[in-house]
Amino acid sequence: MKKLLYTSLFIAAFISPKAIAQYQPKNTSPEDIKKARQWVEKTYKNLSQDEKLGQLFIVALYTNKGEDFISQVRNIVVNDKIGGLILMQDDAAREISLVNEFQQKSRIPLMIGMDAEWGLFQRIATAHKFPWAMTLGAIQDKDLIHQMSAKIAEDCHRMGINWDFAPVVDVNTNPNNPIIGNRSFGSEVPNVISSALSYSNGLQDNNILAAIKHFPGHGDTSTDSHLDLPVVSHNIERLNTTELAPFKALMDKGIGGVMVAHLYVPSLESGKGIPASVSKNIITGLLKNQLGYKGLIITDALNMGAVANKYKPGELDALAFAAGNDIMLFSQGVSEGKKLIQKAIDKGEIPQSRVEESVKKILLTKYFLGLTQYTPKNPENINSDLNNESHKILVQNLYANALTLLKDDKKLLPISGKQVYYIPLEEAPYQTFANRLGSNVIIKKASEINSIPAGSTVIAGLHKDNSTAYKPYKISAESKKVLADLTKNQNVILNVFGSAYALKDIDISKISTVLVSYENNDDSMNATADALNGKTKISGRLPVLVNDQLKAGMGIDLDPASPKNNK
């Protein structure tokens, strides 16, 4: 490639080819890089082969699986000298205490990662939830996404986490995708790129490593890779313009990690059924050689059904390393994997230089993340630190900026000062929205629509279950019937508190006003009610292609109501 993929041109002058990291903090000087290189070379030289191999593995730490499980992790940290941990559910204070302990027991500082795509709430229930990527994709001011991930970075530092396995850069072109969906910024490549870059920069500008995922692209799949192996059957031309495009655009932006998916992509891998995560053609051939990526390459979790059901623990790790991965995430067999990798080295199947390349990249990244001066974290007050007023203010602003007005034919908005009826539909809580709307709004049950005077303005709120990002988005037949009945005599404002895909098979031709709020939680409902009352601007744009009538990029700006109109 004509363009070097280093974060700065002068890196190569100071660091040997086997000690290149894609990530470095802002304002890193040549002298800083020289010191980093010296630490890496000295540290690597003093490691035994067993310690070098240990750096290649990250295992999971749960606090909701009991003390026996934690003891097993403790033994792996001490005996197998692993490179890092991925924090899973559930107790933040306990996790901090264990990370402090394990860092103290480790000769080489541990990399501590977490899946925190929508903040630490993804794993820590007491933390504050940030919006899903699909919601963020509707926001036009991408600096707000940077602000969000900077706040996530702050929360990560508070926990002793230094690697957020985010953002997802999969282009979600399949509405029926069971595992990406809300985790994607949308169906349009440029929006995915700009949103993901803002997210990544917000992390890395604050010294938390990012990882774009899931290479080479998980957006058009109909199988959950946690359960089985998805197939992406597109040709090279389509892959280049859609699936691979965000990765190619972002790889020269200093992003420190790429996570490789458990996908079978026949156009990129001729071996039948070989997942990308263990494909040398895809990882070494495409990602490293053709695309020139120099950062850390990490597998998706190796306990996922797409691969765990087909390979033995340890065997899978060895295959993943041989394919070109630097780090095996969520390893289920560290000691077995180390033995098999060493066996392959002894037989000449894997060169020792591969170990040197990966371990030096890992060490250099750890140095740049400040792990050589690790300071223990204080577990006290952690829950309030991860969930306070500063989170609430930021998150409600994000939801407010995501709101997308798709039509308002009869100019029903804003509703402030008008008598309006509100009918909650679907299965999820709605009371926060009802409370915030104001006293001029009368709540009615679906069974009471006949009691609403003809010609009234009626908000129909489709409140979908927001408990996970993977809940079905489709609207029930009962709700569709209520909508159809309402449009016969009323002026309807349809408000979707769920995925925009919910509109895929809803006839909105007779509905005056359609507003998409994307999610159903207190922050989203409060932000939506304020916008309906004319207190905040509506400016979001649809991030996905829903159907022939509702295309990505659609949206109407609605400015806040003037003081006169608010009387």
Side-chain angles (χ1 to χ4, degrees), residues 260-291:
V260 185
H262 306 310
L263 302 168
Y264 174 44
V265 190
S267 295
L268 302 177
E269 172 53 69
S270 57
K272 188 174 182 180
I274 295 178
S277 51
V278 295
S279 167
K280 191 169 185 178
N281 289 331
I282 291 175
I283 300 171
T284 299
L286 175 59
L287 181 55
K288 296 172 73 171
N289 294 343
Q290 287 183 241
L291 299 180

PDB file of all heavy atoms in Angstrom, residues 260-291:
ATOM      1  N   VAL A 260     -11.043 -10.300  15.150  1.00  0.00           N
ATOM      2  CA  VAL A 260     -11.410 -11.141  14.008  1.00  0.00           C
ATOM      3  C   VAL A 260     -12.581 -12.039  14.387  1.00  0.00           C
ATOM      4  O   VAL A 260     -12.585 -12.677  15.442  1.00  0.00           O
ATOM      5  CB  VAL A 260     -10.211 -11.982  13.533  1.00  0.00           C
ATOM      6  CG1 VAL A 260     -10.581 -12.766  12.276  1.00  0.00           C
ATOM      7  CG2 VAL A 260      -9.002 -11.091  13.265  1.00  0.00           C
ATOM      8  N   ALA A 261     -13.550 -12.100  13.488  1.00  0.00           N
ATOM      9  CA  ALA A 261     -14.802 -12.801  13.756  1.00  0.00           C
ATOM     10  C   ALA A 261     -14.711 -14.286  13.442  1.00  0.00           C
ATOM     11  O   ALA A 261     -13.864 -14.733  12.673  1.00  0.00           O
ATOM     12  CB  ALA A 261     -15.927 -12.181  12.930  1.00  0.00           C
ATOM     13  N   HIS A 262     -15.643 -15.016  14.030  1.00  0.00           N
ATOM     14  CA  HIS A 262     -15.839 -16.429  13.692  1.00  0.00           C
ATOM     15  C   HIS A 262     -16.861 -16.496  12.562  1.00  0.00           C
ATOM     16  O   HIS A 262     -18.066 -16.689  12.786  1.00  0.00           O
ATOM     17  CB  HIS A 262     -16.322 -17.207  14.907  1.00  0.00           C
ATOM     18  CG  HIS A 262     -15.455 -17.050  16.117  1.00  0.00           C
ATOM     19  ND1 HIS A 262     -14.092 -17.221  16.075  1.00  0.00           N
ATOM     20  CD2 HIS A 262     -15.767 -16.740  17.418  1.00  0.00           C
ATOM     21  CE1 HIS A 262     -13.590 -17.030  17.298  1.00  0.00           C
ATOM     22  NE2 HIS A 262     -14.586 -16.735  18.115  1.00  0.00           N
ATOM     23  N   LEU A 263     -16.387 -16.274  11.347  1.00  0.00           N
ATOM     24  CA  LEU A 263     -17.228 -16.268  10.148  1.00  0.00           C
ATOM     25  C   LEU A 263     -16.568 -17.118   9.077  1.00  0.00           C
ATOM     26  O   LEU A 263     -15.335 -17.157   8.980  1.00  0.00           O
ATOM     27  CB  LEU A 263     -17.360 -14.854   9.578  1.00  0.00           C
ATOM     28  CG  LEU A 263     -17.915 -13.728  10.436  1.00  0.00           C
ATOM     29  CD1 LEU A 263     -17.658 -12.395   9.748  1.00  0.00           C
ATOM     30  CD2 LEU A 263     -19.403 -13.923  10.651  1.00  0.00           C
ATOM     31  N   TYR A 264     -17.378 -17.746   8.260  1.00  0.00           N
ATOM     32  CA  TYR A 264     -16.839 -18.417   7.072  1.00  0.00           C
ATOM     33  C   TYR A 264     -17.134 -17.532   5.866  1.00  0.00           C
ATOM     34  O   TYR A 264     -18.293 -17.230   5.571  1.00  0.00           O
ATOM     35  CB  TYR A 264     -17.466 -19.799   6.904  1.00  0.00           C
ATOM     36  CG  TYR A 264     -17.075 -20.497   5.612  1.00  0.00           C
ATOM     37  CD1 TYR A 264     -15.744 -20.489   5.157  1.00  0.00           C
ATOM     38  CD2 TYR A 264     -18.024 -21.161   4.846  1.00  0.00           C
ATOM     39  CE1 TYR A 264     -15.384 -21.119   3.979  1.00  0.00           C
ATOM     40  CE2 TYR A 264     -17.670 -21.804   3.674  1.00  0.00           C
ATOM     41  CZ  TYR A 264     -16.356 -21.786   3.242  1.00  0.00           C
ATOM     42  OH  TYR A 264     -16.005 -22.401   2.067  1.00  0.00           O
ATOM     43  N   VAL A 265     -16.066 -17.097   5.185  1.00  0.00           N
ATOM     44  CA  VAL A 265     -16.187 -16.204   4.032  1.00  0.00           C
ATOM     45  C   VAL A 265     -15.527 -16.887   2.838  1.00  0.00           C
ATOM     46  O   VAL A 265     -14.316 -16.756   2.625  1.00  0.00           O
ATOM     47  CB  VAL A 265     -15.531 -14.838   4.314  1.00  0.00           C
ATOM     48  CG1 VAL A 265     -15.871 -13.847   3.201  1.00  0.00           C
ATOM     49  CG2 VAL A 265     -15.955 -14.283   5.673  1.00  0.00           C
ATOM     50  N   PRO A 266     -16.294 -17.631   2.045  1.00  0.00           N
ATOM     51  CA  PRO A 266     -15.710 -18.413   0.940  1.00  0.00           C
ATOM     52  C   PRO A 266     -14.894 -17.590  -0.049  1.00  0.00           C
ATOM     53  O   PRO A 266     -13.908 -18.091  -0.599  1.00  0.00           O
ATOM     54  CB  PRO A 266     -16.948 -19.023   0.258  1.00  0.00           C
ATOM     55  CG  PRO A 266     -18.004 -19.036   1.311  1.00  0.00           C
ATOM     56  CD  PRO A 266     -17.750 -17.838   2.155  1.00  0.00           C
ATOM     57  N   SER A 267     -15.251 -16.327  -0.270  1.00  0.00           N
ATOM     58  CA  SER A 267     -14.499 -15.498  -1.220  1.00  0.00           C
ATOM     59  C   SER A 267     -13.090 -15.190  -0.727  1.00  0.00           C
ATOM     60  O   SER A 267     -12.211 -14.856  -1.524  1.00  0.00           O
ATOM     61  CB  SER A 267     -15.240 -14.175  -1.476  1.00  0.00           C
ATOM     62  OG  SER A 267     -16.465 -14.408  -2.116  1.00  0.00           O
ATOM     63  N   LEU A 268     -12.884 -15.299   0.580  1.00  0.00           N
ATOM     64  CA  LEU A 268     -11.574 -14.982   1.156  1.00  0.00           C
ATOM     65  C   LEU A 268     -10.833 -16.218   1.650  1.00  0.00           C
ATOM     66  O   LEU A 268      -9.621 -16.154   1.876  1.00  0.00           O
ATOM     67  CB  LEU A 268     -11.743 -14.006   2.331  1.00  0.00           C
ATOM     68  CG  LEU A 268     -12.427 -12.672   2.025  1.00  0.00           C
ATOM     69  CD1 LEU A 268     -12.583 -11.866   3.306  1.00  0.00           C
ATOM     70  CD2 LEU A 268     -11.632 -11.890   0.987  1.00  0.00           C
ATOM     71  N   GLU A 269     -11.542 -17.321   1.832  1.00  0.00           N
ATOM     72  CA  GLU A 269     -10.937 -18.544   2.372  1.00  0.00           C
ATOM     73  C   GLU A 269     -11.470 -19.737   1.593  1.00  0.00           C
ATOM     74  O   GLU A 269     -12.646 -20.084   1.680  1.00  0.00           O
ATOM     75  CB  GLU A 269     -11.255 -18.681   3.864  1.00  0.00           C
ATOM     76  CG  GLU A 269     -10.838 -19.993   4.490  1.00  0.00           C
ATOM     77  CD  GLU A 269      -9.368 -20.331   4.245  1.00  0.00           C
ATOM     78  OE1 GLU A 269      -8.506 -19.630   4.813  1.00  0.00           O
ATOM     79  OE2 GLU A 269      -9.104 -21.278   3.470  1.00  0.00           O
ATOM     80  N   SER A 270     -10.553 -20.377   0.824  1.00  0.00           N
ATOM     81  CA  SER A 270     -10.964 -21.500  -0.026  1.00  0.00           C
ATOM     82  C   SER A 270     -11.209 -22.774   0.769  1.00  0.00           C
ATOM     83  O   SER A 270     -11.942 -23.661   0.334  1.00  0.00           O
ATOM     84  CB  SER A 270      -9.900 -21.759  -1.101  1.00  0.00           C
ATOM     85  OG  SER A 270      -8.642 -22.012  -0.501  1.00  0.00           O
ATOM     86  N   GLY A 271     -10.601 -22.881   1.938  1.00  0.00           N
ATOM     87  CA  GLY A 271     -10.808 -24.066   2.765  1.00  0.00           C
ATOM     88  C   GLY A 271     -12.219 -24.108   3.298  1.00  0.00           C
ATOM     89  O   GLY A 271     -12.654 -23.181   3.993  1.00  0.00           O
ATOM     90  N   LYS A 272     -12.931 -25.158   2.991  1.00  0.00           N
ATOM     91  CA  LYS A 272     -14.348 -25.220   3.334  1.00  0.00           C
ATOM     92  C   LYS A 272     -14.584 -25.151   4.839  1.00  0.00           C
ATOM     93  O   LYS A 272     -14.037 -25.932   5.610  1.00  0.00           O
ATOM     94  CB  LYS A 272     -14.963 -26.509   2.779  1.00  0.00           C
ATOM     95  CG  LYS A 272     -16.478 -26.559   2.933  1.00  0.00           C
ATOM     96  CD  LYS A 272     -17.069 -27.771   2.234  1.00  0.00           C
ATOM     97  CE  LYS A 272     -18.591 -27.790   2.363  1.00  0.00           C
ATOM     98  NZ  LYS A 272     -19.192 -28.962   1.688  1.00  0.00           N
ATOM     99  N   GLY A 273     -15.418 -24.187   5.251  1.00  0.00           N
ATOM    100  CA  GLY A 273     -15.825 -24.080   6.641  1.00  0.00           C
ATOM    101  C   GLY A 273     -14.778 -23.541   7.586  1.00  0.00           C
ATOM    102  O   GLY A 273     -14.978 -23.568   8.799  1.00  0.00           O
ATOM    103  N   ILE A 274     -13.659 -23.033   7.077  1.00  0.00           N
ATOM    104  CA  ILE A 274     -12.615 -22.508   7.966  1.00  0.00           C
ATOM    105  C   ILE A 274     -13.007 -21.095   8.411  1.00  0.00           C
ATOM    106  O   ILE A 274     -13.155 -20.194   7.585  1.00  0.00           O
ATOM    107  CB  ILE A 274     -11.245 -22.476   7.264  1.00  0.00           C
ATOM    108  CG1 ILE A 274     -10.792 -23.905   6.947  1.00  0.00           C
ATOM    109  CG2 ILE A 274     -10.209 -21.769   8.134  1.00  0.00           C
ATOM    110  CD1 ILE A 274      -9.468 -23.980   6.201  1.00  0.00           C
ATOM    111  N   PRO A 275     -13.178 -20.866   9.706  1.00  0.00           N
ATOM    112  CA  PRO A 275     -13.568 -19.537  10.188  1.00  0.00           C
ATOM    113  C   PRO A 275     -12.459 -18.514   9.950  1.00  0.00           C
ATOM    114  O   PRO A 275     -11.267 -18.851   9.954  1.00  0.00           O
ATOM    115  CB  PRO A 275     -13.790 -19.751  11.689  1.00  0.00           C
ATOM    116  CG  PRO A 275     -13.927 -21.230  11.866  1.00  0.00           C
ATOM    117  CD  PRO A 275     -13.087 -21.842  10.802  1.00  0.00           C
ATOM    118  N   ALA A 276     -12.847 -17.263   9.775  1.00  0.00           N
ATOM    119  CA  ALA A 276     -11.870 -16.187   9.595  1.00  0.00           C
ATOM    120  C   ALA A 276     -10.885 -16.130  10.748  1.00  0.00           C
ATOM    121  O   ALA A 276      -9.701 -15.850  10.559  1.00  0.00           O
ATOM    122  CB  ALA A 276     -12.605 -14.853   9.466  1.00  0.00           C
ATOM    123  N   SER A 277     -11.353 -16.436  11.946  1.00  0.00           N
ATOM    124  CA  SER A 277     -10.516 -16.326  13.141  1.00  0.00           C
ATOM    125  C   SER A 277      -9.355 -17.312  13.167  1.00  0.00           C
ATOM    126  O   SER A 277      -8.407 -17.131  13.938  1.00  0.00           O
ATOM    127  CB  SER A 277     -11.368 -16.510  14.399  1.00  0.00           C
ATOM    128  OG  SER A 277     -12.143 -17.693  14.308  1.00  0.00           O
ATOM    129  N   VAL A 278      -9.402 -18.352  12.342  1.00  0.00           N
ATOM    130  CA  VAL A 278      -8.281 -19.297  12.264  1.00  0.00           C
ATOM    131  C   VAL A 278      -7.805 -19.435  10.816  1.00  0.00           C
ATOM    132  O   VAL A 278      -7.166 -20.425  10.460  1.00  0.00           O
ATOM    133  CB  VAL A 278      -8.645 -20.684  12.858  1.00  0.00           C
ATOM    134  CG1 VAL A 278      -8.904 -20.576  14.345  1.00  0.00           C
ATOM    135  CG2 VAL A 278      -9.853 -21.291  12.148  1.00  0.00           C
ATOM    136  N   SER A 279      -8.101 -18.443   9.999  1.00  0.00           N
ATOM    137  CA  SER A 279      -7.725 -18.470   8.587  1.00  0.00           C
ATOM    138  C   SER A 279      -6.447 -17.668   8.349  1.00  0.00           C
ATOM    139  O   SER A 279      -6.444 -16.443   8.508  1.00  0.00           O
ATOM    140  CB  SER A 279      -8.855 -17.898   7.722  1.00  0.00           C
ATOM    141  OG  SER A 279      -8.402 -17.636   6.411  1.00  0.00           O
ATOM    142  N   LYS A 280      -5.399 -18.329   7.934  1.00  0.00           N
ATOM    143  CA  LYS A 280      -4.158 -17.629   7.617  1.00  0.00           C
ATOM    144  C   LYS A 280      -4.331 -16.755   6.387  1.00  0.00           C
ATOM    145  O   LYS A 280      -3.732 -15.677   6.283  1.00  0.00           O
ATOM    146  CB  LYS A 280      -3.024 -18.635   7.404  1.00  0.00           C
ATOM    147  CG  LYS A 280      -1.643 -17.983   7.326  1.00  0.00           C
ATOM    148  CD  LYS A 280      -0.526 -19.005   7.390  1.00  0.00           C
ATOM    149  CE  LYS A 280       0.818 -18.308   7.432  1.00  0.00           C
ATOM    150  NZ  LYS A 280       1.950 -19.283   7.553  1.00  0.00           N
ATOM    151  N   ASN A 281      -5.162 -17.198   5.455  1.00  0.00           N
ATOM    152  CA  ASN A 281      -5.419 -16.394   4.264  1.00  0.00           C
ATOM    153  C   ASN A 281      -6.036 -15.043   4.628  1.00  0.00           C
ATOM    154  O   ASN A 281      -5.701 -14.016   4.028  1.00  0.00           O
ATOM    155  CB  ASN A 281      -6.369 -17.131   3.312  1.00  0.00           C
ATOM    156  CG  ASN A 281      -5.712 -18.321   2.653  1.00  0.00           C
ATOM    157  OD1 ASN A 281      -4.506 -18.335   2.438  1.00  0.00           O
ATOM    158  ND2 ASN A 281      -6.500 -19.335   2.334  1.00  0.00           N
ATOM    159  N   ILE A 282      -6.948 -15.050   5.600  1.00  0.00           N
ATOM    160  CA  ILE A 282      -7.655 -13.826   5.962  1.00  0.00           C
ATOM    161  C   ILE A 282      -6.840 -12.957   6.914  1.00  0.00           C
ATOM    162  O   ILE A 282      -6.751 -11.740   6.734  1.00  0.00           O
ATOM    163  CB  ILE A 282      -9.030 -14.172   6.569  1.00  0.00           C
ATOM    164  CG1 ILE A 282      -9.947 -14.749   5.478  1.00  0.00           C
ATOM    165  CG2 ILE A 282      -9.673 -12.945   7.220  1.00  0.00           C
ATOM    166  CD1 ILE A 282     -11.283 -15.245   5.987  1.00  0.00           C
ATOM    167  N   ILE A 283      -6.222 -13.561   7.922  1.00  0.00           N
ATOM    168  CA  ILE A 283      -5.519 -12.764   8.930  1.00  0.00           C
ATOM    169  C   ILE A 283      -4.139 -12.327   8.445  1.00  0.00           C
ATOM    170  O   ILE A 283      -3.817 -11.138   8.409  1.00  0.00           O
ATOM    171  CB  ILE A 283      -5.419 -13.531  10.261  1.00  0.00           C
ATOM    172  CG1 ILE A 283      -6.818 -13.848  10.783  1.00  0.00           C
ATOM    173  CG2 ILE A 283      -4.655 -12.697  11.295  1.00  0.00           C
ATOM    174  CD1 ILE A 283      -6.846 -14.779  11.962  1.00  0.00           C
ATOM    175  N   THR A 284      -3.316 -13.296   8.068  1.00  0.00           N
ATOM    176  CA  THR A 284      -1.970 -12.944   7.600  1.00  0.00           C
ATOM    177  C   THR A 284      -2.003 -12.413   6.167  1.00  0.00           C
ATOM    178  O   THR A 284      -1.405 -11.370   5.873  1.00  0.00           O
ATOM    179  CB  THR A 284      -1.037 -14.158   7.696  1.00  0.00           C
ATOM    180  OG1 THR A 284      -0.939 -14.570   9.069  1.00  0.00           O
ATOM    181  CG2 THR A 284       0.357 -13.813   7.184  1.00  0.00           C
ATOM    182  N   GLY A 285      -2.712 -13.118   5.300  1.00  0.00           N
ATOM    183  CA  GLY A 285      -2.720 -12.737   3.897  1.00  0.00           C
ATOM    184  C   GLY A 285      -3.404 -11.410   3.635  1.00  0.00           C
ATOM    185  O   GLY A 285      -2.847 -10.519   2.980  1.00  0.00           O
ATOM    186  N   LEU A 286      -4.633 -11.253   4.161  1.00  0.00           N
ATOM    187  CA  LEU A 286      -5.406 -10.043   3.880  1.00  0.00           C
ATOM    188  C   LEU A 286      -5.133  -8.924   4.885  1.00  0.00           C
ATOM    189  O   LEU A 286      -4.704  -7.826   4.510  1.00  0.00           O
ATOM    190  CB  LEU A 286      -6.895 -10.386   3.866  1.00  0.00           C
ATOM    191  CG  LEU A 286      -7.877  -9.214   3.693  1.00  0.00           C
ATOM    192  CD1 LEU A 286      -7.622  -8.481   2.385  1.00  0.00           C
ATOM    193  CD2 LEU A 286      -9.323  -9.705   3.763  1.00  0.00           C
ATOM    194  N   LEU A 287      -5.366  -9.208   6.153  1.00  0.00           N
ATOM    195  CA  LEU A 287      -5.308  -8.152   7.169  1.00  0.00           C
ATOM    196  C   LEU A 287      -3.894  -7.608   7.354  1.00  0.00           C
ATOM    197  O   LEU A 287      -3.681  -6.383   7.378  1.00  0.00           O
ATOM    198  CB  LEU A 287      -5.859  -8.694   8.492  1.00  0.00           C
ATOM    199  CG  LEU A 287      -5.908  -7.732   9.689  1.00  0.00           C
ATOM    200  CD1 LEU A 287      -6.678  -6.468   9.350  1.00  0.00           C
ATOM    201  CD2 LEU A 287      -6.540  -8.437  10.895  1.00  0.00           C
ATOM    202  N   LYS A 288      -2.927  -8.502   7.460  1.00  0.00           N
ATOM    203  CA  LYS A 288      -1.563  -8.054   7.735  1.00  0.00           C
ATOM    204  C   LYS A 288      -0.794  -7.683   6.464  1.00  0.00           C
ATOM    205  O   LYS A 288      -0.183  -6.607   6.392  1.00  0.00           O
ATOM    206  CB  LYS A 288      -0.804  -9.139   8.509  1.00  0.00           C
ATOM    207  CG  LYS A 288      -1.395  -9.406   9.901  1.00  0.00           C
ATOM    208  CD  LYS A 288      -0.783 -10.600  10.578  1.00  0.00           C
ATOM    209  CE  LYS A 288       0.616 -10.331  11.070  1.00  0.00           C
ATOM    210  NZ  LYS A 288       1.109 -11.451  11.928  1.00  0.00           N
ATOM    211  N   ASN A 289      -0.839  -8.558   5.462  1.00  0.00           N
ATOM    212  CA  ASN A 289      -0.002  -8.328   4.282  1.00  0.00           C
ATOM    213  C   ASN A 289      -0.640  -7.363   3.288  1.00  0.00           C
ATOM    214  O   ASN A 289      -0.010  -6.378   2.882  1.00  0.00           O
ATOM    215  CB  ASN A 289       0.329  -9.657   3.606  1.00  0.00           C
ATOM    216  CG  ASN A 289       1.211 -10.545   4.471  1.00  0.00           C
ATOM    217  OD1 ASN A 289       1.834 -10.081   5.430  1.00  0.00           O
ATOM    218  ND2 ASN A 289       1.260 -11.828   4.158  1.00  0.00           N
ATOM    219  N   GLN A 290      -1.876  -7.624   2.879  1.00  0.00           N
ATOM    220  CA  GLN A 290      -2.503  -6.760   1.886  1.00  0.00           C
ATOM    221  C   GLN A 290      -2.921  -5.406   2.454  1.00  0.00           C
ATOM    222  O   GLN A 290      -2.656  -4.367   1.847  1.00  0.00           O
ATOM    223  CB  GLN A 290      -3.716  -7.449   1.262  1.00  0.00           C
ATOM    224  CG  GLN A 290      -3.378  -8.576   0.304  1.00  0.00           C
ATOM    225  CD  GLN A 290      -4.629  -9.171  -0.330  1.00  0.00           C
ATOM    226  OE1 GLN A 290      -4.938 -10.345  -0.175  1.00  0.00           O
ATOM    227  NE2 GLN A 290      -5.370  -8.347  -1.045  1.00  0.00           N
ATOM    228  N   LEU A 291      -3.564  -5.422   3.608  1.00  0.00           N
ATOM    229  CA  LEU A 291      -4.030  -4.172   4.198  1.00  0.00           C
ATOM    230  C   LEU A 291      -2.969  -3.502   5.059  1.00  0.00           C
ATOM    231  O   LEU A 291      -3.107  -2.328   5.411  1.00  0.00           O
ATOM    232  CB  LEU A 291      -5.302  -4.419   5.014  1.00  0.00           C
ATOM    233  CG  LEU A 291      -6.493  -4.973   4.221  1.00  0.00           C
ATOM    234  CD1 LEU A 291      -7.693  -5.185   5.140  1.00  0.00           C
ATOM    235  CD2 LEU A 291      -6.862  -4.057   3.068  1.00  0.00           C
TER     236      LEU A 291
END
